[in-house]
Amino acid sequence: MSNWVTTSEAAKLCHCHPRTLKRKRDIEGGFLINMRHWRFGTSPGSSIMWDIDYVIKEFNYRGYMAADKLKDKFNKAKTAEEVADLIGA
């Protein structure tokens, strides 16, 4: 069952800024898909609605993939300088 919430509620539950959610929509070049993760409200002034369960799953997946790529880069680093570059030191 879908659990649709407003932008401000979704941002709180995702621990991000409402603009971050809006930037991640497919119409902004992001990965959150209309009618899967988000939908327009009933009128032009209505809040965008978010299926919070799908949004959280997608953010988790993207975070997992980013962490996995970083782990792979650390494993391939051969020098202390390469590791320092990865951590921004």
Side-chain angles (χ1 to χ4, degrees), residues 67-87:
D68 196 45
K69 287 179 185 177
L70 186 58
K71 183 175 84 174
D72 189 44
K73 287 180 182 180
F74 269 105
N75 289 336
K76 290 179 180 177
K78 298 199 182 335
T79 66
E81 186 176 280
E82 290 175 342
V83 172
D85 286 342
L86 287 171
I87 62 171

Side-chain angles (χ1 to χ4, degrees), residues 28-48:
E28 297 288 332
F31 51 82
L32 297 177
I33 302 166
N34 188 14
M35 293 308 298
R36 160 67 61 96
H37 302 102
W38 69 277
R39 64 178 168 84
F40 288 110
T42 55
S43 67
S46 297
S47 178
I48 295 168

Side-chain angles (χ1 to χ4, degrees), residues 6-71:
T6 64
T7 300
S8 60
E9 291 173 288
K12 287 176 188 171
L13 292 168
C14 291
H15 303 282
C16 68
H17 197 279
R19 277 182 269 164
T20 300
L21 283 172
K22 291 178 180 180
R23 279 196 322 267
K24 301 300 182 184
R25 292 178 298 162
D26 51 353
I27 63 171
E28 297 288 332
F31 51 82
L32 297 177
I33 302 166
N34 188 14
M35 293 308 298
R36 160 67 61 96
H37 302 102
W38 69 277
R39 64 178 168 84
F40 288 110
T42 55
S43 67
S46 297
S47 178
I48 295 168
M49 301 299 290
W50 304 86
D51 189 333
I52 194 62
D53 297 327
Y54 277 113
V55 172
I56 289 172
K57 285 178 186 177
E58 189 65 30
F59 273 116
N60 182 63
Y61 173 74
R62 299 288 172 148
Y64 176 80
M65 295 306 291
D68 196 45
K69 287 179 185 177
L70 186 58
K71 183 175 84 174

